[in-house]
Amino acid sequence: MTSARPHLLALGAIAALGLLAAFSVQSAVVLDLVFTLLLYAVLGQSWNWISGYAGNISFGHAIFFGCGAYASALCVTHGLSPWLAIPAGVLAAAALALATGFPTLGLRGHYFSIATIAVAALVEAFVRTSHWLGKANGFELPIASGWGALQFGQKGPYVVLALALFVAVQLATIALERSRLGYYLRALRANHAAAASVGIDERRTKLIAFAWSATMAAAAGVLYAQYTLFVDPPSTIALAVSIDIALIGVVGGIGTLWGPLTGALVYVVLAKAVALRLGGAGKGYDLVIYGAIICLIAALRPYGIVGTVVDAIRRRRGAAGTIPPAATPAETAA
Amino acid sequence: MEALGTFGQLLAGGLLTGLVFALVAVGLTLVYGVMDVVNFAHGEFLMLAMYAALGLALVGLGPLVGLPLVAIAMFLFGIVVYRVFVRRLLAGPPEATVFGTFGLLVLMQGLAQALLTSDYQSVPSPPLQGTVRFGAIALSQATLVEGLGALVLTAALFAFVEYTETGRAMRAVAEDRVAATLMGIDVQRVNGLAFGIGAACVGAAGALLMLSYPVYPTAGASFALTAFVIVALGGFGSIQGALVGAVLVGLLEVFGGFYLSPELKMVPVYLAYLAVVLLRPQGLLGRR
Amino acid sequence: MKEVRLRVRRFSTVLAAVFALTAAGGGVTHAADPPEIVIGSILPLTGPSAQTGAGLRTAQQLAADLVNGHVSYPLPLVGKSGLPHLGHARIKLVFADSQGKPDQARAAAEQLITQEHAVALIGTYASSTTATASQVAERSGIPFLNPDSSAPGLTARGLKWFFRTTPHDGTFAENFFQFFADLKKTKNIGVKRVAIVGEDGLFGSGASDAEEALVKKNGYELATRVSYPATTTEVNAEVQKVKTSSPDVIMQASYVPDALLYMRGYKQQNVEVKAILAQDAGFIDPNFVRTLGADAEGVFTREVFSLEIKHRNQAVPLIDQLFRERFAGKPLDGNTARDFMGVLVLADAIDRAGSTKPEAIRAALQATNIPGKLTLMPWNRIHFDATGQNDGGVGIIEQVQNGKYETVWPFDVSVKPVIWPMPAWKR
């Protein structure tokens, strides 16, 4: 395992840059971009834990994001502090992940992916038919101000919080790569049978990764709710949101440390660029571009932007095993 | 007595609904069976077929007449997509097929929106809009034809896979790719054909569906979602499984809608899926 | 190690460059020159409603151009070469994309206020995006005019700076019952049991909630209420539920695919009712009549606007013509007409305020009182109540007669008589 130092240095640089931006940049537009970028990066990284490192691609990840967002909405509309939403949302997400992961994480890839869609649909149906969850109307959070209310008139504090969350998530991922859990996950991806024979419990290992991944998404959800002040099914738990999250993870590079940030960067920049240049014509050009990028990546460079970069670096260094280990087609056919 | 009539109507409706789902699901399961690929862009293939059928209808070739043309066009499309794209995905890590076909989904939806607009478009004055009555039960002519189409398609596909040379080759590849290669089977050619045939099935489905539905860029999505569940429920790779799974899903959805609530009608379907894969991971009739 | 450090530095540089670029890019579009008054418009210019957004944008721009122009029409503030009370200052619309998402709408609102220095905002079509954008306006003390979002809750938030010209779902539901009341004056309509059908999203459930509350209030019986997922591919159970509840009328809120499924289902299952009253959407889409043909006859739908009110609102055909010229021959419709009027209402208020100070504009908005005839809409007037809702708004009801949508209510704008009950299903 490579040294963590360059990654920590990079993270430090980003943190410094981010803090600088938060305190000095005046433009609300720029700060909003930075906030969105960091939030999506967190979501992408949370998705990465289960779909990348664990290798079980999820198309229903938005439900965990929703846990956090709805927890926030519920706390605030019931007169409780939104800070309570953090433990509440995180615990709810972890519980949901354990409950839904338990039956499905022992299954092969496709079954799991489809199961995530099924579970997400169930959750959405539940929310849409429950009065206490706002049904289709969702919740509008009343305007407030200050750290106690976790709402701010300026963008700076939001960026700081998003940055803190991002740094925490990156540190956790750096730790994951060098931990026993990470080692087990890599072993499972390399060869299920061999890993099992060494005593690695696939379901249990992946459940842990899944639960952690859910908590990260929930934390992002709380922050999102406190920022946007509006929570409803289409914006937080719909299939489209899950697909956006997956998009970010895939474009950046599945299973890599910096993939999610890269993917988020591409996503945010592209969305803005498309809106500015091609907006107003009513066409789906941004979708065409994303789709083309993902197809190209999948066909030519399956490891995304970051994976390709990492690969190139390793090649230059002359390392033997260049591509991140994964099960070969022959083995998954077993 | 009225309750019995209602029950009968629901039963007939559920069966037909299931058959319509089978129409869409059968192409998906073939592709999976042969090359282990779940085509997440399946709904977009359906949408493409629907647009093609619409195009033909607008120049006078109604959905039933246009069906063979659409099926052939989709067959060729499937082969091209395989040769240019899916083949490369298969050479990569297993996730590549998942997010590769996912990328295709996004790309096709975007292209549809860009080139064809997101307006709803339907066949003007489609045929078979009448009603067929069996005693107290009333059924739509169009839906009956769609259901019949599903049965014919499933039977034809089953016969093809069981009794033809190419079909046997496909089964061989499905069972053991390495052994099949050793036996002299050109796996790439078989894969391509399977993908093409799967697309042709979706083509037929799309043409028939234009009898009853409008098309728009995300029209395939809800059908596809149910198709994925059905294929997993019935057992990946099993054509009979897809039929059985589809009918089961149709009945669950319709009865769930009436006796539970329409808002929750998909809940029994998804729960059934989760139950089946938990208790019987290979699906109802699947082999692996 | 060296390569990795290089990579890290390169990465940070890229990030910094992106920030710098966006900051610079943000700085380039500065506030309008003094003689121009900036109104910020937030619309879904990309995303699923992008087509609608493009039309709304065209309509709003047309209105701004007419205000700045010198050709007169029977509309407020048009053709006076700008705002007379502000030295003929011109209106400039600056558009920002909501992408149909609430968080993007919020960002768009902030951009328009802080960067473009908009004196007022207008938008945003979808109720969820309007909710967040208007919250930004409220916080910043900038007037927000909403011409086209119909969720009743938007004007129930106690906001000071939010004004809505369009009627909301509650009003539209009321229109159905006013229609019944008006009909009862001349004949016995035989309506007792009402079945309510609606898709389970914001649109359908909002309409259904409003309808259900009014059923009870007006002394009718609720036969059944059916709520279903909009993306469903079959409606067997739903149709059976409606049928077995023996309704006299059905009130429905559906999109195109589901509207078609239901109509066919009603026909097959012999669901004979005196009327089907729809809430717009799928039932007024061109596909509806085109696909159903004779089976669509007699269906009622509420509408927001009709080109046929031209004998009362003389500007309608003129503006319709201008709009078609700008928008590929497509006619003016409910959405574009409302957005067009929204710009006029704002311009009129700013003019009456004689100032670009937000508080002055707000006071002027509160004093708005435009007679319905001087608008493009079948409304009584434009006048905002204490909650910021236009209390003069009203929908119209159309009925499909011989394949065309004919205005049948209110009776003072109606073009054809009501056919009651709906014709029986043709076999």
Side-chain angles (χ1 to χ4, degrees):
Chain A
M1 184 39 55
T2 58
S3 153
R5 201 139 65 91
H7 299 297
L8 290 170
L9 281 173
L11 195 57
I14 291 172
L17 248 176
L19 281 172
L20 190 66
F23 288 118
S24 62
V25 172
Q26 295 300 333
S27 162
V29 176
V30 172
L31 287 177
D32 175 72
L33 274 173
V34 173
F35 177 83
T36 311
L37 170 68
L38 291 168
L39 203 70
Y40 284 173
V42 169
L43 278 172
Q45 190 64 277
S46 105
W47 183 84
N48 199 18
W49 275 52
I50 182 63
S51 309
Y53 291 109
N56 283 57
I57 299 187
S58 163
F59 286 125
H61 216 63
I63 55 176
F64 305 120
F65 176 63
C67 278
Y70 272 90
S72 203
L74 285 171
C75 281
V76 169
T77 51
H78 283 89
L80 300 168
S81 163
W83 288 98
L84 264 170
I86 299 178
V90 157
L91 282 170
L96 190 58
L98 290 171
T100 59
F102 183 78
T104 55
L105 278 170
L107 300 176
R108 296 190 39 220
H110 303 307
Y111 287 105
F112 176 78
S113 297
I114 293 177
T116 60
I117 300 178
V119 167
L122 283 171
V123 168
E124 194 176 345
F126 178 66
V127 172
R128 275 181 188 271
T129 52
S130 305
H131 258 111
W132 65 283
L133 287 170
K135 294 187 93 170
N137 298 309
F139 296 96
E140 217 180 294
L141 280 69
I143 298 175
S145 246
W147 284 90
L150 203 53
Q151 256 191 64
F152 313 96
Q154 304 300 319
K155 293 245 189 272
Y158 282 117
V159 172
V160 170
L161 282 170
L163 193 60
L165 189 58
F166 174 71
V167 167
V169 161
Q170 286 298 92
L171 286 173
T173 313
I174 291 172
L176 172 77
E177 283 184 339
R178 288 154 186 77
S179 70
R180 189 155 20 144
L181 178 63
Y183 168 69
Y184 286 172
L185 289 173
R186 274 198 306 282
L188 283 166
R189 285 192 64 191
N191 192 321
H192 287 247
S197 70
V198 183
I200 297 177
D201 183 336
E202 175 168 8
R203 193 190 298 229
R204 191 162 165 272
T205 311
K206 289 190 175 176
L207 262 177
I208 297 175
F210 198 33
W212 279 115
S213 124
T215 60
M216 290 186 260
V222 172
L223 196 52
Y224 168 85
Q226 295 302 124
Y227 184 76
T228 312
L229 301 180
F230 185 79
V231 174
D232 73 349
S235 60
T236 53
I237 56 177
L239 183 62
V241 180
S242 291
I243 287 184
D244 275 351
I245 297 175
L247 222 70
I248 290 167
V250 168
V251 168
I254 265 189
T256 65
L257 178 62
W258 294 100
L261 182 64
T262 315
L265 196 61
V266 171
Y267 185 82
V268 166
V269 168
L270 205 56
K272 272 292 165 192
V274 168
L276 284 174
R277 294 292 176 81
L278 309 166
K283 312 289 187 179
Y285 292 128
D286 53 339
L287 284 180
V288 174
I289 296 174
Y290 291 138
I293 290 179
I294 296 179
C295 286
L296 284 169
I297 289 177
L300 304 172
R301 290 265 176 266
Y303 306 100
I305 297 172
V306 172
T308 311
V309 169
V310 167
D311 198 45
I313 290 173
R314 289 211 182 113
R315 267 190 226 278
R316 236 189 302 164
R317 270 198 243 150
T322 48
I323 295 178
T328 60
E331 275 155 276
T332 40
Chain B
M1 194 28 72
E2 208 195 279
L4 203 60
T6 306
F7 183 84
Q9 181 65 51
L10 290 171
L11 185 64
L15 279 169
L16 267 185
T17 302
L19 286 176
V20 172
F21 287 147
L23 195 60
V24 177
V26 104
L28 188 64
T29 205
L30 176 74
V31 166
Y32 182 85
V34 172
M35 65 189 90
D36 224 10
V37 168
V38 173
N39 180 11
F40 280 97
H42 192 70
E44 282 55 45
F45 276 48
L46 180 67
M47 176 259 292
L48 181 64
M50 289 171 81
Y51 272 114
L54 175 71
L56 288 173
L58 290 175
V59 295
L61 295 167
L64 291 173
V65 174
L67 190 155
L69 289 168
V70 174
I72 293 172
M74 289 302 294
F75 173 73
L76 294 169
F77 177 72
I79 294 202
V80 168
V81 169
Y82 178 79
R83 289 251 181 91
V84 167
F85 185 58
V86 179
R87 194 170 42 135
R88 277 184 230 264
L89 297 179
L90 288 173
E95 310 87 64
T97 60
V98 175
F99 58 83
T101 54
F102 167 61
L104 197 58
L105 178 166
V106 175
L107 180 64
M108 286 174 78
Q109 269 188 25
L111 282 172
Q113 208 183 331
L115 301 171
L116 300 161
T117 83
S118 35
D119 287 340
Y120 295 106
Q121 300 184 57
S122 50
V123 171
S125 305
L128 298 174
Q129 296 304 303
T131 313
V132 175
R133 291 180 199 281
F134 300 100
I137 298 177
L139 298 167
S140 142
Q141 278 176 352
T143 320
L144 269 172
V145 168
E146 288 157 18
L148 199 66
L151 288 171
V152 167
L153 196 62
T154 312
L157 202 62
F158 186 76
F160 173 79
V161 165
E162 282 291 315
Y163 301 123
T164 67
E165 178 92 31
T166 323
R168 275 201 289 273
M170 283 186 189
R171 273 190 293 138
V173 169
E175 220 172 282
D176 192 329
R177 188 173 317 173
V178 178
T181 322
L182 291 175
M183 303 268 292
I185 294 176
D186 181 348
V187 172
Q188 291 303 333
R189 186 177 152 270
V190 167
N191 280 353
L193 274 175
F195 206 79
I197 293 176
C201 291
V202 158
L208 284 177
L209 287 179
M210 285 313 283
L211 289 171
S212 313
Y213 297 92
V215 64
Y216 48 102
T218 49
S222 28
F223 284 107
L225 211 58
T226 322
F228 293 136
V229 172
I230 287 169
V231 166
L233 191 66
F236 280 107
S238 164
I239 295 170
Q240 318 90 291
L243 187 61
V244 168
V247 169
L248 187 62
V249 165
L251 288 169
L252 279 172
E253 182 175 324
V254 171
F255 280 112
F258 191 81
Y259 293 108
L260 258 185
S261 109
E263 283 174 300
L264 297 171
K265 64 180 171 182
M266 294 309 287
V267 169
V269 173
Y270 293 127
L271 285 177
Y273 167 72
L274 290 172
V276 167
V277 292
L278 184 58
L279 301 169
R280 199 186 150 82
Q282 69 270 40
L284 291 171
L285 299 177
R287 281 159 310 175
R288 10 185 165 122
Chain C
M1 190 44 78
K2 199 163 122 188
E3 291 95 332
V4 179
R5 241 188 260 144
L6 198 58
R7 173 170 71 89
V8 163
R9 250 198 296 145
R10 225 178 272 157
F11 188 73
S12 315
T13 323
V14 168
L15 262 184
V18 171
F19 289 167
L21 273 174
T22 35
V28 163
T29 36
H30 47 66
D33 298 324
E36 279 188 326
I37 296 178
V38 174
I39 294 179
S41 170
I42 302 154
L43 291 174
L45 300 173
T46 55
S49 309
Q51 223 104 27
T52 310
L56 297 176
R57 180 190 178 142
T58 308
Q60 288 184 3
Q61 191 58 57
L62 177 62
D65 291 345
L66 290 181
V67 166
N68 294 335
H70 49 263
V71 182
S72 256
Y73 293 90
L75 292 165
L77 207 60
V78 165
K80 305 218 168 78
S81 302
L83 303 179
H85 290 109
L86 278 157
H88 291 282
R90 300 157 72 75
I91 297 264
K92 177 174 170 173
L93 283 173
V94 178
F95 296 95
D97 186 7
S98 73
Q99 299 177 28
K101 297 181 179 162
D103 56 324
Q104 294 305 315
R106 193 196 140 114
E110 278 160 354
Q111 180 185 348
L112 290 168
I113 292 177
T114 61
Q115 271 202 315
E116 306 294 338
H117 306 292
V119 308
L121 294 182
I122 184 171
T124 67
Y125 187 59
S127 295
S128 55
T129 47
T130 299
T132 51
S134 57
Q135 271 182 332
V136 172
E138 185 77 9
R139 215 187 193 137
S140 315
I142 297 280
F144 190 102
L145 190 107
N146 173 234
D148 46 23
S149 303
S150 66
L154 286 172
T155 35
R157 296 179 289 167
L159 298 190
K160 279 177 40 182
W161 296 87
F162 184 75
F163 296 88
R164 168 159 62 179
T165 48
T166 178
H168 57 65
D169 286 329
T171 314
F172 292 133
E174 259 172 41
N175 290 157
F176 285 161
F177 293 91
Q178 282 158 0
F179 176 54
F180 289 158
D182 280 352
L183 277 178
K184 276 199 221 178
K185 291 182 190 146
T186 53
K187 61 168 108 189
N188 173 22
I189 56 174
V191 174
K192 249 186 60 187
R193 295 170 61 78
V194 178
I196 296 176
V197 179
E199 58 93 28
D200 70 350
L202 193 57
F203 158 61
S205 60
S208 300
D209 283 342
E211 286 158 3
E212 187 173 349
L214 288 169
V215 161
K216 301 195 169 94
K217 191 166 145 208
N218 287 287
Y220 295 92
E221 267 174 57
L222 182 68
T224 184
R225 177 169 164 173
V226 171
S227 182
Y228 65 93
T231 50
T232 192
T233 55
E234 58 79 35
V235 291
N236 288 284
E238 291 85 341
V239 170
Q240 284 306 305
K241 271 189 180 284
V242 171
K243 178 173 176 171
T244 53
S245 73
S246 306
D248 297 310
V249 296
I250 301 173
M251 291 187 179
Q252 183 139 355
S254 296
Y255 294 111
V256 170
D258 25 327
L260 293 175
L261 283 172
Y262 274 99
M263 290 297 291
R264 288 172 168 142
Y266 292 148
K267 175 178 170 176
Q268 276 148 32
Q269 300 301 313
N270 268 335
V271 177
E272 294 285 3
V273 288
K274 309 230 168 34
I276 296 176
L277 298 124
Q279 290 273 11
D280 212 303
F283 286 80
I284 58 165
D285 187 278
N287 284 287
F288 188 74
V289 171
R290 190 165 58 209
T291 315
L292 293 173
D295 292 332
E297 283 297 303
V299 168
F300 293 95
T301 171
R302 75 88 169 149
E303 239 290 28
V304 166
F305 168 80
S306 165
L307 289 171
E308 300 307 311
I309 59 173
K310 55 187 182 228
H311 51 269
R312 190 190 85 135
N313 300 55
Q314 302 187 332
V316 168
L318 309 163
I319 304 299
D320 177 46
Q321 179 60 32
L322 289 173
F323 182 77
R324 283 177 204 246
E325 281 164 16
R326 292 192 180 200
F327 202 58
K330 292 220 173 89
L332 208 58
D333 67 15
N335 291 322
T336 44
R338 283 183 295 181
D339 271 46
F340 178 93
M341 283 312 303
V343 171
L344 291 190
V345 169
L346 259 184
D348 174 70
I350 298 172
D351 186 56
R352 275 184 289 112
S355 142
T356 56
K357 291 209 171 55
E359 191 56 58
I361 301 176
R362 179 167 160 264
L365 278 167
Q366 280 175 326
T368 303
N369 201 340
I370 302 173
K373 288 204 289 277
L374 287 182
T375 69
L376 296 177
M377 313 305 300
W379 298 343
N380 298 323
R381 61 177 183 169
I382 298 180
H383 170 266
F384 301 106
D385 67 17
T387 67
Q389 175 66 44
N390 174 18
D391 60 19
V394 68
I396 58 173
I397 295 183
E398 297 183 332
Q399 185 177 28
V400 178
Q401 295 181 0
N402 294 318
K404 279 186 64 197
Y405 290 90
E406 307 284 9
T407 309
V408 296
W409 184 89
F411 295 138
D412 62 328
V413 292
S414 69
V415 166
K416 287 266 164 69
V418 174
I419 298 176
W420 185 283
M422 262 175 70
W425 298 110
K426 294 190 175 37
R427 298 277 153 239

